[in-house]
Amino acid sequence: MEQTEQFKRISSVNEVMPAVADFLGSDSFDKNCWIIFDVDYTLTMPTMMYEGRNYPITQRSLISILSEIKDREILDRVCSSSVFLPQTLIEKQLPDALKNLNQRGARVFALTAALGAKKLRKHRFQTLNSLGVNFSDAFDFSEMDLDDIDPYIGYKLGYYNGVLYANGECDLTNNKGKVLKSFIKKIGQRPTHVVIVDDKKKNLENLQAAVTELGINYLGLLYTDSKEYEDLPSDILKQRIEEMQRNLLL
């Protein structure tokens, strides 16, 4: 299949349904259509309490601090450990939007770059569930490791209750496209259409390459959170990140 760039920019989860409908055209809106969401900064974001206020930790506020961490493995551990901070939905209407996609018959689940540590998988599932987001019905199995890809920092890549773990942003040998391709091969189910919702263009690009190589129709939706936030004071956030480096949870 010839690969042509198919990225559409969206700023709300409510734009996913009409984009998918346009993409499918006269094709069926069924389980052969996989709609796959990134999690961090697409569905949820971490927060931190400071002086009686709960501040969202934005990507903008993190970039300069995280850029100081030169060890890629430590960077991955710190980024993934942010899952253990209190989380909030980026959009309150997210649970209803996901429910609507499921009711139309699509297979809806998540693909995250976070490390696949068992305690992280369990914690993320519990956190998403507490926020009204549950992908566990996407497949008729709850857990699966991808054994054809080498572990990274001691953790296996795999699937847990509706979330596929690509095992780190900084692993140069793996990416989300490679992981999804491995997952499709492992379960022996090939969709006819794949829609990816992610806030990083590089993820949409490597997923497009993998999906189109398999002869699957592909649509990438580049999500941008258009809301304005008041950032947590940078010195307070830096202290928290430094603390996370000293007391790595993963």
Side-chain angles (χ1 to χ4, degrees):
M1 176 179 292
E2 182 180 353
Q3 181 175 328
T4 56
E5 190 173 273
Q6 294 190 63
F7 296 159
K8 177 180 174 63
R9 294 181 181 273
I10 64 170
S11 59
S12 172
V13 70
N14 287 335
E15 296 177 60
V16 175
M17 179 74 83
V20 174
D22 288 345
F23 172 55
L24 289 174
S26 60
D27 292 329
S28 298
F29 208 129
D30 57 21
K31 292 294 184 183
N32 289 315
C33 175
W34 291 10
I35 305 175
I36 308 172
F37 288 86
D38 174 43
V39 182
D40 298 300
Y41 294 105
T42 298
L43 303 182
T44 64
M45 64 192 306
T47 67
M48 181 176 167
M49 187 66 69
Y50 174 66
E51 292 188 341
R53 293 181 56 188
N54 197 30
Y55 286 84
I57 301 175
T58 64
Q59 291 195 77
R60 179 183 63 245
S61 63
L62 278 173
I63 288 174
S64 62
I65 298 172
L66 293 179
S67 66
E68 297 177 4
I69 304 176
K70 303 306 179 184
D71 187 305
R72 300 179 71 86
E73 290 190 5
I74 291 178
L75 178 58
D76 262 333
R77 292 182 190 276
V78 171
C79 289
S80 293
S81 293
S82 67
V83 170
F84 296 101
L85 295 171
Q87 304 286 314
T88 186
L89 293 177
I90 293 177
E91 298 184 69
K92 292 181 179 179
Q93 66 268 34
L94 175 64
D96 288 337
L98 296 177
K99 182 179 179 180
N100 290 337
L101 291 170
N102 276 306
Q103 288 178 339
R104 288 292 301 272
R107 194 183 298 276
V108 184
F109 60 104
L111 172 55
T112 177
L115 294 174
K118 288 186 177 180
K119 65 178 179 180
L120 186 151
R121 296 184 191 190
K122 292 179 180 179
H123 184 81
R124 165 148 279 170
F125 171 72
Q126 293 167 352
T127 299
L128 288 175
N129 196 50
S130 70
L131 294 172
V133 176
N134 191 323
F135 298 108
S136 61
D137 290 336
F139 297 93
D140 58 3
F141 52 87
S142 60
E143 190 168 4
M144 177 182 293
D145 288 330
L146 301 178
D147 299 320
D148 63 332
I149 301 179
D150 291 336
Y152 172 63
I153 320 183
Y155 302 121
K156 290 184 176 181
L157 294 79
Y159 173 91
Y160 183 83
N161 281 326
V163 182
L164 185 58
Y165 288 84
N167 216 13
E169 291 273 8
C170 298
D171 183 1
L172 298 179
T173 62
N174 297 317
N175 58 48
K176 285 187 173 183
K178 183 177 179 179
V179 172
L180 181 60
K181 189 176 177 180
S182 171
F183 180 68
I184 290 172
K185 179 181 178 181
K186 181 72 177 280
I187 67 174
Q189 299 180 36
R190 181 177 297 195
T192 58
H193 298 76
V194 165
V195 179
I196 303 292
V197 186
D198 201 299
D199 68 314
K200 291 185 173 65
K201 188 176 180 180
K202 69 170 186 176
N203 292 332
L204 295 179
E205 290 172 340
N206 62 57
L207 280 157
Q208 179 180 9
V211 168
T212 53
E213 183 180 332
L214 294 174
I216 299 169
N217 296 295
Y218 173 85
L219 174 65
L221 299 178
L222 184 61
Y223 179 83
T224 301
D225 182 7
S226 60
K227 295 187 291 297
E228 294 292 331
Y229 299 96
E230 182 180 355
D231 285 335
L232 183 71
S234 58
D235 57 331
I236 301 301
L237 180 57
K238 185 174 183 178
Q239 289 176 20
R240 185 70 179 92
I241 297 300
E242 290 173 347
E243 179 185 340
M244 291 170 69
Q245 290 183 70
R246 292 192 297 268
N247 304 288
L248 290 170
L249 296 174
L250 298 170

